[in-house]
PDB file of all heavy atoms in Angstrom:
ATOM      1  N   PHE B 350      11.581 -18.295  -1.421  1.00  0.00           N
ATOM      2  CA  PHE B 350      10.811 -17.083  -1.173  1.00  0.00           C
ATOM      3  C   PHE B 350       9.525 -17.584  -0.379  1.00  0.00           C
ATOM      4  O   PHE B 350       8.912 -18.442  -0.877  1.00  0.00           O
ATOM      5  CB  PHE B 350      10.343 -16.425  -2.497  1.00  0.00           C
ATOM      6  CG  PHE B 350      11.427 -15.821  -3.228  1.00  0.00           C
ATOM      7  CD1 PHE B 350      12.308 -16.462  -4.012  1.00  0.00           C
ATOM      8  CD2 PHE B 350      11.594 -14.372  -3.139  1.00  0.00           C
ATOM      9  CE1 PHE B 350      13.164 -15.858  -4.781  1.00  0.00           C
ATOM     10  CE2 PHE B 350      12.547 -13.807  -3.837  1.00  0.00           C
ATOM     11  CZ  PHE B 350      13.408 -14.488  -4.705  1.00  0.00           C
ATOM     12  N   PHE B 351       9.312 -16.988   0.700  1.00  0.00           N
ATOM     13  CA  PHE B 351       8.241 -17.347   1.555  1.00  0.00           C
ATOM     14  C   PHE B 351       7.257 -16.230   1.470  1.00  0.00           C
ATOM     15  O   PHE B 351       7.299 -15.231   2.162  1.00  0.00           O
ATOM     16  CB  PHE B 351       8.538 -17.635   2.908  1.00  0.00           C
ATOM     17  CG  PHE B 351       7.682 -18.483   3.683  1.00  0.00           C
ATOM     18  CD1 PHE B 351       7.610 -19.905   3.434  1.00  0.00           C
ATOM     19  CD2 PHE B 351       6.845 -18.009   4.596  1.00  0.00           C
ATOM     20  CE1 PHE B 351       6.714 -20.658   4.032  1.00  0.00           C
ATOM     21  CE2 PHE B 351       5.855 -18.711   5.277  1.00  0.00           C
ATOM     22  CZ  PHE B 351       5.941 -20.077   5.149  1.00  0.00           C
ATOM     23  N   GLN B 352       6.233 -16.321   0.620  1.00  0.00           N
ATOM     24  CA  GLN B 352       5.338 -15.160   0.242  1.00  0.00           C
ATOM     25  C   GLN B 352       3.934 -15.273   0.858  1.00  0.00           C
ATOM     26  O   GLN B 352       3.348 -16.461   0.727  1.00  0.00           O
ATOM     27  CB  GLN B 352       5.201 -15.012  -1.221  1.00  0.00           C
ATOM     28  CG  GLN B 352       6.440 -14.993  -2.095  1.00  0.00           C
ATOM     29  CD  GLN B 352       7.055 -13.552  -2.170  1.00  0.00           C
ATOM     30  OE1 GLN B 352       7.624 -13.070  -1.154  1.00  0.00           O
ATOM     31  NE2 GLN B 352       6.971 -12.904  -3.293  1.00  0.00           N
ATOM     32  N   PHE B 353       3.472 -14.351   1.435  1.00  0.00           N
ATOM     33  CA  PHE B 353       2.041 -14.365   1.858  1.00  0.00           C
ATOM     34  C   PHE B 353       1.226 -14.016   0.720  1.00  0.00           C
ATOM     35  O   PHE B 353       1.430 -13.087   0.017  1.00  0.00           O
ATOM     36  CB  PHE B 353       1.847 -13.348   3.036  1.00  0.00           C
ATOM     37  CG  PHE B 353       2.254 -13.858   4.347  1.00  0.00           C
ATOM     38  CD1 PHE B 353       3.526 -13.551   4.800  1.00  0.00           C
ATOM     39  CD2 PHE B 353       1.440 -14.610   5.092  1.00  0.00           C
ATOM     40  CE1 PHE B 353       3.942 -14.096   6.083  1.00  0.00           C
ATOM     41  CE2 PHE B 353       1.825 -15.122   6.289  1.00  0.00           C
ATOM     42  CZ  PHE B 353       3.140 -14.919   6.724  1.00  0.00           C
ATOM     43  N   LYS B 354       0.139 -14.843   0.580  1.00  0.00           N
ATOM     44  CA  LYS B 354      -0.844 -14.609  -0.611  1.00  0.00           C
ATOM     45  C   LYS B 354      -1.415 -13.147  -0.269  1.00  0.00           C
ATOM     46  O   LYS B 354      -1.591 -12.753   0.792  1.00  0.00           O
ATOM     47  CB  LYS B 354      -1.908 -15.640  -0.637  1.00  0.00           C
ATOM     48  CG  LYS B 354      -2.774 -15.580  -1.805  1.00  0.00           C
ATOM     49  CD  LYS B 354      -3.556 -16.846  -1.927  1.00  0.00           C
ATOM     50  CE  LYS B 354      -4.622 -16.790  -3.060  1.00  0.00           C
ATOM     51  NZ  LYS B 354      -4.051 -16.465  -4.400  1.00  0.00           N
ATOM     52  N   PHE B 355      -1.547 -12.423  -1.469  1.00  0.00           N
ATOM     53  CA  PHE B 355      -2.124 -11.077  -1.345  1.00  0.00           C
ATOM     54  C   PHE B 355      -1.105 -10.008  -0.890  1.00  0.00           C
ATOM     55  O   PHE B 355      -1.455  -8.844  -0.624  1.00  0.00           O
ATOM     56  CB  PHE B 355      -3.440 -11.008  -0.671  1.00  0.00           C
ATOM     57  CG  PHE B 355      -4.481 -11.925  -1.026  1.00  0.00           C
ATOM     58  CD1 PHE B 355      -4.962 -12.909  -0.230  1.00  0.00           C
ATOM     59  CD2 PHE B 355      -4.960 -11.893  -2.347  1.00  0.00           C
ATOM     60  CE1 PHE B 355      -5.764 -13.872  -0.614  1.00  0.00           C
ATOM     61  CE2 PHE B 355      -5.925 -12.764  -2.749  1.00  0.00           C
ATOM     62  CZ  PHE B 355      -6.309 -13.827  -2.004  1.00  0.00           C
ATOM     63  N   CYS B 356       0.209 -10.366  -0.625  1.00  0.00           N
ATOM     64  CA  CYS B 356       1.109  -9.313  -0.092  1.00  0.00           C
ATOM     65  C   CYS B 356       1.643  -8.601  -1.305  1.00  0.00           C
ATOM     66  O   CYS B 356       2.402  -9.202  -2.158  1.00  0.00           O
ATOM     67  CB  CYS B 356       2.245  -9.985   0.713  1.00  0.00           C
ATOM     68  SG  CYS B 356       3.488  -8.796   1.039  1.00  0.00           S
ATOM     69  N   GLU B 357       1.344  -7.331  -1.421  1.00  0.00           N
ATOM     70  CA  GLU B 357       1.742  -6.494  -2.649  1.00  0.00           C
ATOM     71  C   GLU B 357       3.168  -6.316  -2.608  1.00  0.00           C
ATOM     72  O   GLU B 357       3.900  -6.538  -3.637  1.00  0.00           O
ATOM     73  CB  GLU B 357       0.891  -5.362  -2.763  1.00  0.00           C
ATOM     74  CG  GLU B 357      -0.545  -5.610  -3.211  1.00  0.00           C
ATOM     75  CD  GLU B 357      -0.954  -4.835  -4.486  1.00  0.00           C
ATOM     76  OE1 GLU B 357      -0.522  -3.743  -4.742  1.00  0.00           O
ATOM     77  OE2 GLU B 357      -1.868  -5.445  -5.172  1.00  0.00           O
ATOM     78  N   PRO B 358       3.765  -5.676  -1.580  1.00  0.00           N
ATOM     79  CA  PRO B 358       5.102  -5.199  -1.622  1.00  0.00           C
ATOM     80  C   PRO B 358       6.119  -6.347  -1.882  1.00  0.00           C
ATOM     81  O   PRO B 358       6.929  -6.225  -2.796  1.00  0.00           O
ATOM     82  CB  PRO B 358       5.481  -4.636  -0.178  1.00  0.00           C
ATOM     83  CG  PRO B 358       4.028  -4.195   0.325  1.00  0.00           C
ATOM     84  CD  PRO B 358       3.118  -5.247  -0.281  1.00  0.00           C
ATOM     85  N   HIS B 359       5.943  -7.494  -1.238  1.00  0.00           N
ATOM     86  CA  HIS B 359       6.852  -8.607  -1.539  1.00  0.00           C
ATOM     87  C   HIS B 359       6.529  -9.303  -2.900  1.00  0.00           C
ATOM     88  O   HIS B 359       7.418  -9.800  -3.472  1.00  0.00           O
ATOM     89  CB  HIS B 359       6.805  -9.605  -0.304  1.00  0.00           C
ATOM     90  CG  HIS B 359       7.555  -9.090   0.877  1.00  0.00           C
ATOM     91  ND1 HIS B 359       8.886  -9.183   1.028  1.00  0.00           N
ATOM     92  CD2 HIS B 359       7.160  -8.376   1.954  1.00  0.00           C
ATOM     93  CE1 HIS B 359       9.223  -8.594   2.105  1.00  0.00           C
ATOM     94  NE2 HIS B 359       8.173  -8.096   2.733  1.00  0.00           N
ATOM     95  N   GLY B 360       5.278  -9.279  -3.251  1.00  0.00           N
ATOM     96  CA  GLY B 360       4.896  -9.858  -4.495  1.00  0.00           C
ATOM     97  C   GLY B 360       5.485  -9.021  -5.631  1.00  0.00           C
ATOM     98  O   GLY B 360       5.996  -9.613  -6.646  1.00  0.00           O
ATOM     99  N   PHE B 361       5.506  -7.721  -5.487  1.00  0.00           N
ATOM    100  CA  PHE B 361       6.201  -6.908  -6.635  1.00  0.00           C
ATOM    101  C   PHE B 361       7.638  -7.020  -6.630  1.00  0.00           C
ATOM    102  O   PHE B 361       8.245  -6.924  -7.726  1.00  0.00           O
ATOM    103  CB  PHE B 361       5.780  -5.418  -6.440  1.00  0.00           C
ATOM    104  CG  PHE B 361       4.542  -4.989  -7.107  1.00  0.00           C
ATOM    105  CD1 PHE B 361       3.358  -4.821  -6.319  1.00  0.00           C
ATOM    106  CD2 PHE B 361       4.435  -4.882  -8.455  1.00  0.00           C
ATOM    107  CE1 PHE B 361       2.204  -4.440  -7.005  1.00  0.00           C
ATOM    108  CE2 PHE B 361       3.320  -4.575  -9.151  1.00  0.00           C
ATOM    109  CZ  PHE B 361       2.195  -4.352  -8.438  1.00  0.00           C
TER     110      PHE B 361
END
Side-chain angles (χ1 to χ4, degrees):
Chain B
F350 290 83
F351 201 78
Q352 308 274 74
F353 281 93
K354 191 166 170 58
F355 306 116
C356 172
E357 291 237 329
H359 286 274
F361 271 106

